[in-house]
Amino acid sequence: MSWLDRPASETQITHRNRLWLYALGILTLAFLVLPTLIVVPMSFSDSQYLEFPPRRWSLRWYEAYFASASWMDATATSLKAGILTALIATPLGTAAAYGFFHSRFWFGTLGFWLLMTPIIVPVILVGIAIFYAYVQLKLVNSLIGIVLAHAVLAIPIVLVIVTSALKSFDANQERAAQSLGASRARAFFLVVMPQIRFPLVTAAIFAFLTSFDEVVVAIFISGGPNSTLTRNMFASLRDQIDPTIAAISSIMIAATTVLILLTQLRGGGQQR
């Protein structure tokens, strides 16, 4: 039996019958990956303008990025905001997911969807609403304002990841711990958390990346000494075409890919 005639799943559907699905998947991946494959070579160009393919190869734009005080300050702001966002969103999102998972009342479902609102409503509306609120609270252009706004966007992602992990967790183990005298908090920290630690790490990383890559809300509420990296990139693209943007984008792509791969490899090792 050839590979095409072998079952692709338990439904006995063969690979031959799924060729259209494989082709669609390859086209979708190509659509998503090709822009990346174009940006990375452009970052190594020696030209003063964005050029593909590069006629001469150089690291000048990476050197320009690391030598620029403004770019380094913006990078530091984004890193601080991302780390603080993860530290805030992960425990809050986990606590909410745990509470909603055990809730047996209608307001549990209502609370879940209310917390999901920031990723359902267009982010431009979220940015405008946060900006007007921050004007009254005098939090515009402040690091704490950036962190709180990004935490609002990251909590729904943490909520989805942890809720999915809890649904695959055997709740009888937690009930057994409680029947032996453990409080709900003690049972969570000693029984539940060790078994969902991989999803928790994944949620924290995605919370960090949500903050680090976010640009729309940052345009409204960040600036001055607390301007984020993505906001500076957007401003640079608007004012002038600088190949430094390609170098920064390549670094961000590499960092994001490494973080996700490390998480998946660690998670795979724990599952085995």
Side-chain angles (χ1 to χ4, degrees):
M1 181 184 298
S2 66
W3 175 80
L4 288 174
D5 295 324
R6 292 176 183 172
S9 66
E10 296 179 356
T11 60
Q12 301 302 311
I13 298 176
T14 63
H15 292 286
R16 187 186 302 276
N17 293 331
R18 283 194 172 183
L19 285 178
W20 67 272
L21 183 60
Y22 299 152
L24 179 62
I26 292 172
L27 290 175
T28 303
L29 287 174
F31 177 77
L32 295 174
V33 172
L34 282 178
T36 302
L37 299 180
I38 293 175
V39 169
V40 174
M42 289 170 62
S43 68
F44 292 98
S45 173
D46 189 49
S47 173
Q48 289 187 336
Y49 306 98
L50 294 175
E51 183 181 73
F52 183 84
R55 287 177 289 182
R56 294 180 58 187
W57 300 90
S58 173
L59 295 175
R60 63 177 294 190
W61 301 115
Y62 288 91
E63 295 172 355
Y65 165 63
F66 287 107
S68 171
S70 61
W71 283 121
M72 289 294 99
D73 290 342
T75 302
T77 299
S78 289
L79 288 174
K80 288 185 288 187
I83 293 171
L84 291 174
T85 297
L87 292 177
I88 293 174
T90 304
L92 290 180
T94 301
Y98 183 74
F100 295 149
F101 179 74
H102 287 284
S103 176
R104 295 294 180 267
F105 301 99
W106 63 269
F107 52 77
T109 303
L110 176 62
F112 177 88
W113 287 109
L114 284 176
L115 285 182
M116 294 296 293
T117 303
I119 62 175
I120 297 175
V121 176
V123 69
I124 185 70
L125 299 182
V126 176
I128 294 172
I130 292 175
F131 172 73
Y132 279 106
Y134 278 12
V135 169
Q136 302 299 321
L137 298 173
K138 298 182 179 179
L139 289 175
V140 177
N141 297 343
S142 66
L143 180 62
I144 185 63
I146 297 171
V147 171
L148 292 177
H150 286 177
V152 169
L153 299 176
I155 284 175
I157 297 174
V158 176
L159 184 62
V160 170
I161 294 174
V162 177
T163 300
S164 176
L166 290 172
K167 287 182 178 180
S168 62
F169 168 73
D170 185 4
N172 290 325
Q173 299 180 41
E174 183 183 7
R175 297 191 189 99
Q178 292 176 354
S179 69
L180 294 174
S183 63
R184 170 152 285 185
R186 186 176 178 84
F188 173 78
F189 285 109
L190 297 182
V191 178
V192 179
M193 184 176 287
Q195 299 195 49
I196 64 169
R197 60 186 182 276
F198 169 60
L200 288 178
V201 173
T202 303
I205 290 176
F206 274 93
F208 170 81
L209 293 176
T210 298
S211 171
F212 193 74
D213 293 339
E214 203 283 322
V215 62
V216 177
V217 174
I219 290 174
F220 286 95
I221 64 171
S222 71
N226 289 313
S227 182
T228 64
L229 181 61
T230 51
R231 187 189 187 281
N232 278 13
M233 292 173 66
F234 181 83
S236 180
L237 284 175
R238 181 190 59 194
D239 299 336
Q240 62 180 352
I241 298 179
D242 186 356
T244 307
I245 302 299
I248 300 173
S249 299
S250 299
I251 294 173
M252 293 178 68
I253 291 169
T256 302
T257 303
V258 169
L259 280 175
I260 294 176
L261 287 178
L262 287 177
T263 304
Q264 295 301 317
L265 290 175
R266 182 174 176 80
Q270 291 179 352
Q271 290 177 355
R272 286 193 294 271

